[in-house]
Amino acid sequence: MLALTGYDPSGDDTTFVRALADGQELVDSTTVTVDAGDSGPVTVDLDD
């Protein structure tokens, strides 16, 4: 299983900090099941 999330951080800092996650807005996420050797794109929508 693979999960990808996109957050909008508070302020000007663009670094995700787990301890500050409550102050960051979840923009989009997706979870996919993959098998060994699978390849392909996994995307989230970060547009407003």
Side-chain angles (χ1 to χ4, degrees):
M1 184 176 294
L2 173 72
L4 177 64
T5 58
Y7 287 88
D8 184 10
S10 57
D12 293 331
D13 189 359
T14 58
T15 303
F16 177 77
V17 178
R18 185 177 297 277
L20 303 175
D22 288 344
Q24 298 179 351
E25 178 185 351
L26 175 64
V27 177
D28 193 19
S29 67
T30 190
T31 303
V32 296
T33 301
V34 294
D35 292 320
D38 282 355
S39 65
V42 178
T43 61
V44 292
D45 184 9
L46 301 179
D47 294 328
D48 288 3

